[in-house]
Amino acid sequence: MPLADRPWFRATWPFAVALAGIGVGAILSSALPGYFVFLAISAVTAAIAILGLGIVTGSAGMIALCQLTFAAVGAWIVSLLNVMQAPGGFLVWLLLGGIAAGLVGILVGLPALRLRGVNLAVVTLGFAAAADVTLVQIQFPGSTDGTAIERPAMFSNDRQFFFLSIIVLAVCALGVFFLQRGRWGSSWKAVAFSERGTAAAGQSVQSAKLTAFAVSAALGGISGGLLA
């Protein structure tokens, strides 16, 4: 039997790839010059946001132009919890920022139940513009006072925070991989291929679209929380 067809290999290779990526991140966090560490953190956070965009656009076939708005929601929640000194620390705040962005993603995804293509793109672009104006007016919590967001004690400097970002990216990539192979992933691909065919097969088109927006927005919120 070929190695790729063996059950143990199919069950373990995604984790092996994730661990290898974390190992490479550990090496880079020690070897990169200081400025390139800053650039690498930006690249990793962008990669997490693009993972989410790949779900809503690549898998579900919907055109959404507000992924960075979800990142702003996650960053705003993390900033607010930091100012409030909420219990749990940065990692809990990061998770809550992703959840909040996911809920906003469901609200934004509601028009996707009736709109498609360019019309949906225009609606999401309008939401992004409205959110930008709103955030400019209300500002991020702590920005006027210059309150910095507290990093976890184990990841307090830039190099350690870059390694944390790599870990978060690996976890998010694993989550997306298994979602793509599960029921949600199948429904996303079915909707992208044919909404009528999906409905005729007894699957919910509405649930597929909303879950795609929710997961995509949650990943955007996590990327924004890291960037904050």
Side-chain angles (χ1 to χ4, degrees), residues 39-49 162 165-169 223 226:
L39 294 179
I41 293 173
S42 301
V44 170
T45 54
I48 296 173
F162 168 62
S165 302
I166 290 289
I167 295 175
V168 174
L169 173 60
S223 72
L226 286 173

Side-chain angles (χ1 to χ4, degrees), residues 78-85 90 93 140-151 156 228:
V78 170
S79 300
L80 176 64
L81 294 174
N82 176 70
V83 170
M84 295 172 58
Q85 288 295 297
F90 177 78
W93 304 343
F140 282 83
S143 61
T144 56
D145 301 327
T147 304
I149 295 176
E150 296 181 7
R151 295 176 177 178
S156 57

Side-chain angles (χ1 to χ4, degrees), residues 158-180:
D158 288 346
R159 294 185 183 277
Q160 294 169 342
F161 191 74
F162 168 62
F163 182 59
L164 172 64
S165 302
I166 290 289
I167 295 175
V168 174
L169 173 60
V171 172
C172 290
L174 277 176
V176 170
F177 176 81
F178 287 110
L179 283 176
Q180 294 279 17

Side-chain angles (χ1 to χ4, degrees), residues 172-213:
C172 290
L174 277 176
V176 170
F177 176 81
F178 287 110
L179 283 176
Q180 294 279 17
R181 290 202 163 193
R183 175 177 293 182
W184 282 9
S186 299
S187 65
W188 298 338
K189 295 169 186 175
V191 166
F193 182 75
S194 173
E195 292 187 18
R196 291 182 179 180
T198 302
Q203 296 187 17
S204 173
V205 175
Q206 291 81 1
S207 296
K209 288 185 173 184
L210 290 179
T211 53
F213 262 100

Side-chain angles (χ1 to χ4, degrees), residues 93-164:
W93 304 343
L94 186 65
L95 180 60
L96 292 176
I99 293 173
L103 295 175
V104 174
I106 293 176
L107 296 177
V108 176
L110 292 176
L113 303 181
R114 295 292 182 182
L115 301 175
R116 300 177 182 85
V118 176
N119 293 329
L120 178 60
V122 171
V123 169
T124 55
L125 182 61
F127 168 73
D132 179 66
V133 173
T134 302
L135 288 174
V136 168
Q137 293 298 320
I138 65 175
Q139 298 185 338
F140 282 83
S143 61
T144 56
D145 301 327
T147 304
I149 295 176
E150 296 181 7
R151 295 176 177 178
M154 293 179 60
F155 306 98
S156 57
N157 62 44
D158 288 346
R159 294 185 183 277
Q160 294 169 342
F161 191 74
F162 168 62
F163 182 59
L164 172 64

